[in-house]
PDB file of all heavy atoms in Angstrom:
ATOM      1  N   VAL A  66      -5.767 -15.276  10.157  1.00 93.00           N
ATOM      2  CA  VAL A  66      -4.776 -16.211  10.679  1.00 93.00           C
ATOM      3  C   VAL A  66      -4.310 -15.717  11.966  1.00 93.00           C
ATOM      4  O   VAL A  66      -3.658 -14.718  12.203  1.00 93.00           O
ATOM      5  CB  VAL A  66      -3.644 -16.243   9.740  1.00 93.00           C
ATOM      6  CG1 VAL A  66      -2.584 -17.307  10.126  1.00 93.00           C
ATOM      7  CG2 VAL A  66      -4.154 -16.703   8.321  1.00 93.00           C
ATOM      8  N   GLU A  67      -4.645 -16.714  13.098  1.00 95.00           N
ATOM      9  CA  GLU A  67      -4.250 -16.314  14.457  1.00 95.00           C
ATOM     10  C   GLU A  67      -2.698 -16.457  14.656  1.00 95.00           C
ATOM     11  O   GLU A  67      -2.120 -15.680  15.460  1.00 95.00           O
ATOM     12  CB  GLU A  67      -4.939 -17.273  15.463  1.00 95.00           C
ATOM     13  CG  GLU A  67      -6.364 -16.942  15.687  1.00 95.00           C
ATOM     14  CD  GLU A  67      -6.716 -15.926  16.685  1.00 95.00           C
ATOM     15  OE1 GLU A  67      -5.680 -15.393  17.301  1.00 95.00           O
ATOM     16  OE2 GLU A  67      -7.880 -15.451  16.814  1.00 95.00           O
ATOM     17  N   ASP A  68      -2.145 -17.464  14.125  1.00 93.00           N
ATOM     18  CA  ASP A  68      -0.714 -17.827  14.355  1.00 93.00           C
ATOM     19  C   ASP A  68       0.158 -16.744  13.697  1.00 93.00           C
ATOM     20  O   ASP A  68      -0.099 -16.315  12.688  1.00 93.00           O
ATOM     21  CB  ASP A  68      -0.381 -19.219  13.798  1.00 93.00           C
ATOM     22  CG  ASP A  68      -1.197 -20.228  14.369  1.00 93.00           C
ATOM     23  OD1 ASP A  68      -1.710 -20.050  15.474  1.00 93.00           O
ATOM     24  OD2 ASP A  68      -1.515 -21.267  13.715  1.00 93.00           O
ATOM     25  N   TYR A  69       1.290 -16.558  14.424  1.00 93.00           N
ATOM     26  CA  TYR A  69       2.239 -15.666  13.852  1.00 93.00           C
ATOM     27  C   TYR A  69       3.428 -16.350  13.304  1.00 93.00           C
ATOM     28  O   TYR A  69       4.137 -17.046  14.004  1.00 93.00           O
ATOM     29  CB  TYR A  69       2.768 -14.655  15.028  1.00 93.00           C
ATOM     30  CG  TYR A  69       3.794 -13.670  14.526  1.00 93.00           C
ATOM     31  CD1 TYR A  69       3.876 -13.255  13.171  1.00 93.00           C
ATOM     32  CD2 TYR A  69       4.786 -13.173  15.374  1.00 93.00           C
ATOM     33  CE1 TYR A  69       4.870 -12.395  12.707  1.00 93.00           C
ATOM     34  CE2 TYR A  69       5.728 -12.344  15.002  1.00 93.00           C
ATOM     35  CZ  TYR A  69       5.829 -11.952  13.678  1.00 93.00           C
ATOM     36  OH  TYR A  69       6.741 -11.123  13.225  1.00 93.00           O
ATOM     37  N   GLU A  70       3.510 -16.176  11.928  1.00 93.00           N
ATOM     38  CA  GLU A  70       4.634 -16.802  11.194  1.00 93.00           C
ATOM     39  C   GLU A  70       5.265 -15.785  10.513  1.00 93.00           C
ATOM     40  O   GLU A  70       4.760 -15.269   9.441  1.00 93.00           O
ATOM     41  CB  GLU A  70       4.057 -17.903  10.355  1.00 93.00           C
ATOM     42  CG  GLU A  70       4.967 -19.146  10.204  1.00 93.00           C
ATOM     43  CD  GLU A  70       4.497 -20.185   9.264  1.00 93.00           C
ATOM     44  OE1 GLU A  70       3.512 -20.895   9.570  1.00 93.00           O
ATOM     45  OE2 GLU A  70       4.926 -20.107   8.166  1.00 93.00           O
ATOM     46  N   PRO A  71       6.529 -15.298  10.970  1.00 94.00           N
ATOM     47  CA  PRO A  71       7.194 -14.222  10.167  1.00 94.00           C
ATOM     48  C   PRO A  71       7.413 -14.522   8.833  1.00 94.00           C
ATOM     49  O   PRO A  71       7.693 -15.626   8.326  1.00 94.00           O
ATOM     50  CB  PRO A  71       8.521 -14.103  11.015  1.00 94.00           C
ATOM     51  CG  PRO A  71       8.327 -14.769  12.325  1.00 94.00           C
ATOM     52  CD  PRO A  71       7.211 -15.830  12.128  1.00 94.00           C
ATOM     53  N   THR A  72       7.115 -13.507   7.950  1.00 91.00           N
ATOM     54  CA  THR A  72       7.061 -13.604   6.503  1.00 91.00           C
ATOM     55  C   THR A  72       8.522 -13.461   6.015  1.00 91.00           C
ATOM     56  O   THR A  72       9.300 -12.721   6.615  1.00 91.00           O
ATOM     57  CB  THR A  72       6.296 -12.565   5.874  1.00 91.00           C
ATOM     58  OG1 THR A  72       4.923 -12.613   6.419  1.00 91.00           O
ATOM     59  CG2 THR A  72       6.114 -12.709   4.392  1.00 91.00           C
ATOM     60  N   LYS A  73       8.842 -14.165   4.898  1.00 90.00           N
ATOM     61  CA  LYS A  73      10.170 -13.851   4.196  1.00 90.00           C
ATOM     62  C   LYS A  73       9.747 -12.768   3.150  1.00 90.00           C
ATOM     63  O   LYS A  73      10.121 -11.652   3.165  1.00 90.00           O
ATOM     64  CB  LYS A  73      10.705 -15.081   3.533  1.00 90.00           C
ATOM     65  CG  LYS A  73      11.289 -15.989   4.651  1.00 90.00           C
ATOM     66  CD  LYS A  73      12.413 -16.892   4.197  1.00 90.00           C
ATOM     67  CE  LYS A  73      13.072 -17.699   5.389  1.00 90.00           C
ATOM     68  NZ  LYS A  73      12.014 -18.811   5.719  1.00 90.00           N
ATOM     69  N   ALA A  74       8.983 -13.168   2.218  1.00 91.00           N
ATOM     70  CA  ALA A  74       8.347 -12.292   1.207  1.00 91.00           C
ATOM     71  C   ALA A  74       7.447 -13.085   0.372  1.00 91.00           C
ATOM     72  O   ALA A  74       7.895 -14.071  -0.146  1.00 91.00           O
ATOM     73  CB  ALA A  74       9.412 -11.623   0.426  1.00 91.00           C
ATOM     74  N   ASP A  75       6.140 -12.709   0.316  1.00 95.00           N
ATOM     75  CA  ASP A  75       5.233 -13.474  -0.487  1.00 95.00           C
ATOM     76  C   ASP A  75       4.486 -12.606  -1.362  1.00 95.00           C
ATOM     77  O   ASP A  75       4.166 -11.456  -1.036  1.00 95.00           O
ATOM     78  CB  ASP A  75       4.198 -14.179   0.519  1.00 95.00           C
ATOM     79  CG  ASP A  75       4.743 -15.185   1.387  1.00 95.00           C
ATOM     80  OD1 ASP A  75       5.656 -15.940   0.953  1.00 95.00           O
ATOM     81  OD2 ASP A  75       4.393 -15.200   2.610  1.00 95.00           O
ATOM     82  N   SER A  76       4.111 -13.061  -2.522  1.00 97.00           N
ATOM     83  CA  SER A  76       3.311 -12.239  -3.417  1.00 97.00           C
ATOM     84  C   SER A  76       2.002 -12.980  -3.749  1.00 97.00           C
ATOM     85  O   SER A  76       1.965 -14.136  -3.879  1.00 97.00           O
ATOM     86  CB  SER A  76       4.142 -11.789  -4.565  1.00 97.00           C
ATOM     87  OG  SER A  76       4.288 -12.903  -5.485  1.00 97.00           O
ATOM     88  N   TYR A  77       1.039 -12.157  -4.027  1.00 98.00           N
ATOM     89  CA  TYR A  77      -0.310 -12.614  -4.298  1.00 98.00           C
ATOM     90  C   TYR A  77      -0.845 -11.779  -5.359  1.00 98.00           C
ATOM     91  O   TYR A  77      -0.558 -10.648  -5.602  1.00 98.00           O
ATOM     92  CB  TYR A  77      -1.223 -12.363  -3.158  1.00 98.00           C
ATOM     93  CG  TYR A  77      -0.758 -13.010  -1.763  1.00 98.00           C
ATOM     94  CD1 TYR A  77       0.166 -12.404  -1.066  1.00 98.00           C
ATOM     95  CD2 TYR A  77      -1.195 -14.266  -1.405  1.00 98.00           C
ATOM     96  CE1 TYR A  77       0.694 -12.972   0.175  1.00 98.00           C
ATOM     97  CE2 TYR A  77      -0.774 -14.826  -0.264  1.00 98.00           C
ATOM     98  CZ  TYR A  77       0.244 -14.237   0.587  1.00 98.00           C
ATOM     99  OH  TYR A  77       0.612 -14.862   1.655  1.00 98.00           O
TER     100      TYR A  77
END
Side-chain angles (χ1 to χ4, degrees):
V66 182
E67 284 279 354
D68 300 332
Y69 176 29
E70 220 183 278
T72 307
K73 292 207 175 72
D75 294 320
S76 75
Y77 302 84

